[in-house]
Amino acid sequence: MNATTSSPGPESPADTVNRIRGEFADITRRLSHASDELTALHGVLLTQTAAPAQPVHTPPIPPQPTPTQAPQLHPLQPPTATFPPPLFTPNYRVPQYAPAPPRVQPLPPPPRPLPVPPRASTAEKMTAASEGGLIGKILAGIGVAITLIGVVLLLVLAAQAGLLRPELRVAGGALLAATLFGIGVRLGHNVQKRSGAVALVATGVAAALFDVLAATAIYHWLPDYAALLVAAVLAGGGLVVAHVWDSQALGLMVGIPLVVLAPFLAGGDDEILVAFLLTYVAVTLWIQLGRNWTAMFITNTAVGTLPVLYGLVAWSSDDQWFFVIAASLNVVLAIVSVLVLMRSSTRPVILALTSSATVFPMFGAVHITGGPLASTLLGVTAAILLALAVAGRPLGVPVPVRVVWLATSSVTALVACASILEGAGLAVAVAGIAVVTACAAAVGKVSGTGGDLNLTVAVIATIATGISLAGTLLSGAVAQLLFADALPTGDQALMLITEVLTLAAIVVLAWSWAQGAGGEQLQAIWTVGTVAALWQVTLLCVGLGALIGGGSDAGIRGGHAAATIVWVLTGAAGLLWARRQRGSARTVTLSVSLSIIGAAVAKLFLFDLATLDGVFRVIAFIVVGLLLLSLGVAYAQSLNSDDDRSVTPR
């Protein structure tokens, strides 16, 4: 059987074109389908990142026919969907991923409320205080006080009542002191028993000092120098225990009873009492080395200062040299103590303030020593404190301590001036201090060193200048404005010197405060300075006129006329200066300048017109009128010039 197989004939060009066109169309369709699948996959991924999403089912792509031969198409017939098989599997599905469950952080448990501790009862508090040693310390302190009072009674009241012989009293006090000291040192070897041992040692040392003081002041068995030597050995040697045990309480238990009870043993001999206590202060200084014992330093300062302060009331002019020596030694001991102890102290400012308190007895020295000696004593003290404040940096003196000493020096200098001067002379001295401190503040501003120290100098200069301004009022300067014979000729000359110095202090001080200031603060400084300087210029003009006129009315009138003219000139200068300023600074300067000119015009009509006569009235009105006229013309032209310059040409 013969089978006949027909083979396809060759493609015509039209068939080839149609076949290629169909293939391109199929490729385009498949690419479009792939793009749709990628878009769907992108949406699924976005949905999974935002929230748990439902799985997306993509419908399968229907299979495409795979004919063995493309149909014959007309050249103008569009291609059909029957083309060769696809280049990749059409049943591709987008892989589905199950979203991961969100990780929920467990909430922390709520915080448990802190248990409120129950309030301790009084019995529990007393038990805790007993276990902490507080009750023992209180009882020991009370025991020290009562025992030492008993020793004083033994040495004083027993002698007055004649109960025991003097030898027995002194020997009994010495035996009691030695016994207490020995037992205290013995017990102090045990640290747990040291609190009680401190009280025993302190009582023994204080009792021994009282015994020596009684033997010297009451019974006169020991010369003064021998008593001081023995007291130095007992105090310095006995308080070695305080240094070794690092016990400030031991020093306090000796110093406080000493300053309270020692006057009862002096028997009215204040000189031996002061010398005795100053010796104690001096020999116990080394015990505080390397210790931060502020309380003991304050106590020792009181031990040396209170008897000297009491001497202001009890002593007379016969004791002036002893007072000078005692007060000077007290101040020197305090200052030296600060220089030695401030390296180990955490409160150097308190030490400096305490040492400054030793100057107080000198403030009343004029009642015992007289003016010249008191002024010299205070002046030397002020110079020493000033030198330490200015040159204390190489000695390691911190700035706060230097500030305290500088302030103390300025106050001491003022009191020194007041001790020897009064009236116009005192005003000159105060004005001189104001000028010196103002210049120091200006130098500090220029150098830019010192910080708080320069600020303190500026504050002191301001206070001194204010006192000087008030001094001109109290010294008759206001009366000099109205009456020709208000001050004698000598006082008028001193007043002129005061006014010149005060004016210089105001100018320098205003410049010093103005450095570094700005804005409204700067304007306020210059405003206050200008008003104060204008007041001093007025006093200066009137005082100079009175001095030149020999205290006549004509001289005062001439001074007032000159003062009015100076007021107008000052206001005019301020108005011209305001042209160079802008904003609030210009407003303030204009307001102040116009106020000064207004005050000058008011003075011209209310005072000068009624008080001045003759040529002075004519001069005042003409000069003031010409000044205001010239100022008005010049100021108007300057404003027009400014307006012209501010217009921008087109």
Side-chain angles (χ1 to χ4, degrees):
M1 180 173 179
N2 296 330
T4 316
T5 305
S6 61
S7 60
E11 292 182 336
S12 64
D15 295 338
T16 303
V17 170
N18 290 334
R19 181 176 57 79
I20 295 174
R21 181 186 299 172
E23 291 177 357
F24 273 112
D26 185 65
I27 292 172
T28 302
R29 184 183 62 79
R30 295 178 184 277
L31 289 176
S32 176
H33 184 71
S35 176
D36 293 340
E37 291 181 346
L38 289 175
T39 303
L41 178 61
H42 180 68
V44 170
L45 294 177
L46 290 179
T47 306
Q48 289 180 355
T49 56
Q54 299 296 329
V56 179
H57 298 282
T58 304
I61 301 175
Q64 301 298 325
T66 56
T68 58
Q69 183 177 1
Q72 300 295 326
L73 298 177
H74 191 272
L76 299 179
Q77 182 180 357
T80 61
T82 58
F83 293 103
L87 299 179
F88 59 91
T89 304
N91 294 331
Y92 173 77
R93 294 177 179 270
V94 178
Q96 304 297 322
Y97 298 97
R103 303 180 65 182
V104 180
Q105 298 292 337
L107 296 177
R112 296 181 179 179
L114 297 176
V116 179
R119 293 185 178 181
S121 62
T122 305
E124 293 175 348
K125 292 180 180 179
M126 294 182 64
T127 302
S130 176
E131 294 176 355
L134 178 61
I135 294 179
K137 293 178 181 179
I138 294 176
L139 293 177
I142 296 175
V144 171
I146 294 176
T147 303
L148 293 177
I149 292 174
V151 172
V152 173
L153 294 177
L154 172 67
L155 297 173
V156 178
L157 297 182
Q160 295 177 356
L163 298 178
L164 296 173
R165 296 181 58 183
E167 295 83 357
L168 294 178
R169 301 184 201 111
V170 175
L175 180 61
L176 178 62
T179 303
L180 293 175
F181 183 83
I183 296 175
V185 172
R186 179 75 176 178
L187 291 177
H189 292 298
N190 188 348
V191 179
Q192 296 179 353
K193 300 179 180 180
R194 188 160 291 177
S195 298
V198 165
L200 292 175
V201 172
T203 306
V205 174
L209 293 175
F210 287 156
D211 205 48
V212 173
L213 182 59
T216 305
I218 297 177
Y219 306 117
H220 306 287
W221 292 347
L222 293 175
D224 295 344
Y225 63 89
L228 297 179
L229 182 60
V230 174
V233 173
L234 292 176
L239 290 182
V240 171
V241 181
H243 187 82
V244 174
W245 290 353
D246 193 15
S247 175
Q248 182 179 204
L250 201 159
L252 295 177
M253 288 182 181
V254 175
I256 294 175
L258 195 64
V259 71
V260 174
L261 300 176
F264 295 99
L265 294 170
D269 194 348
D270 297 324
E271 293 183 359
I272 187 60
L273 174 64
V274 172
F276 189 85
L277 295 180
L278 288 177
T279 301
Y280 169 81
V281 173
V283 299
T284 55
L285 173 60
W286 77 270
I287 299 172
Q288 307 171 55
L289 294 177
R291 303 289 189 266
N292 186 21
W293 291 355
T294 306
M296 185 172 180
F297 175 77
I298 296 174
T299 301
N300 284 10
T301 304
V303 169
T305 304
L306 291 179
V308 181
L309 193 61
Y310 173 75
L312 294 176
V313 180
W315 299 348
S316 62
S317 58
D318 296 336
D319 305 316
Q320 60 178 357
W321 286 110
F322 181 78
F323 175 84
V324 170
I325 295 173
S328 301
L329 286 177
N330 187 36
V331 173
V332 170
L333 281 175
I335 294 175
V336 172
S337 299
V338 174
L339 293 175
V340 172
L341 301 177
M342 65 183 178
R343 301 181 184 277
S344 60
S345 175
T346 59
R347 303 177 181 89
V349 177
I350 297 179
L351 299 184
L353 291 172
T354 305
S355 65
S356 298
T358 59
V359 185
F360 288 162
M362 294 184 178
F363 291 168
V366 66
H367 302 293
I368 298 177
T369 62
L373 186 56
S375 179
T376 303
L377 177 63
L378 290 167
V380 172
T381 304
I384 294 174
L385 292 174
L386 179 62
L388 290 174
V390 174
R393 186 175 182 180
L395 299 176
V397 182
V399 173
V401 175
R402 295 163 63 190
V403 167
V404 172
W405 282 346
L406 180 61
T408 307
S409 174
S410 61
V411 175
T412 307
L414 290 175
V415 178
C417 296
S419 299
I420 195 173
L421 300 172
E422 60 182 7
L426 179 60
V428 172
V430 175
I433 295 175
V435 171
V436 172
T437 51
C439 292
V443 171
K445 286 288 185 178
V446 172
S447 61
T449 58
D452 295 338
L453 193 63
N454 287 337
L455 179 61
T456 304
V457 174
V459 171
I460 293 173
T462 304
I463 295 174
T465 305
I467 295 175
S468 181
L469 286 170
T472 56
L473 299 177
L474 300 176
S475 300
V478 177
Q480 188 181 10
L481 294 174
L482 303 175
F483 305 104
D485 55 351
L487 293 175
T489 303
D491 290 343
Q492 287 180 356
L494 293 176
M495 188 57 62
L496 285 176
I497 298 174
T498 302
E499 292 160 0
V500 171
L501 293 176
T502 306
L503 179 61
I506 291 172
V507 173
V508 176
L509 189 61
W511 180 88
S512 177
W513 281 113
Q515 301 304 307
E520 296 181 358
Q521 184 181 8
L522 180 62
Q523 295 302 315
I525 291 172
W526 282 117
T527 299
V528 174
T530 301
V531 173
L534 199 59
W535 166 250
Q536 291 302 302
V537 169
T538 302
L539 296 178
L540 188 61
C541 291
V542 177
L544 187 61
L547 186 63
I548 294 175
S552 62
D553 293 336
I556 292 182
R557 295 189 183 98
H560 276 289
T564 304
I565 295 172
V566 171
W567 286 23
V568 177
L569 288 173
T570 304
L575 290 177
L576 296 177
W577 175 256
R579 291 182 57 245
R580 303 182 180 182
Q581 297 176 330
R582 293 294 182 269
S584 60
R586 183 173 187 175
T587 302
V588 173
T589 305
L590 284 174
S591 302
V592 174
S593 302
L594 291 176
S595 300
I596 293 174
I597 292 178
V601 173
K603 180 178 181 296
L604 183 67
F605 283 95
L606 298 178
F607 183 83
D608 295 348
L609 184 61
T611 305
L612 305 184
D613 56 358
V615 67
F616 296 111
R617 183 188 301 172
V618 175
I619 292 175
F621 271 82
I622 291 178
V623 173
V624 171
L626 291 176
L627 287 174
L628 293 178
L629 181 61
S630 303
L631 179 63
V633 174
Y635 207 80
Q637 291 179 353
S638 65
L639 290 179
N640 292 333
S641 301
D642 293 340
D643 294 338
D644 294 338
R645 288 193 298 267
S646 63
V647 175
T648 303
R650 294 182 180 272

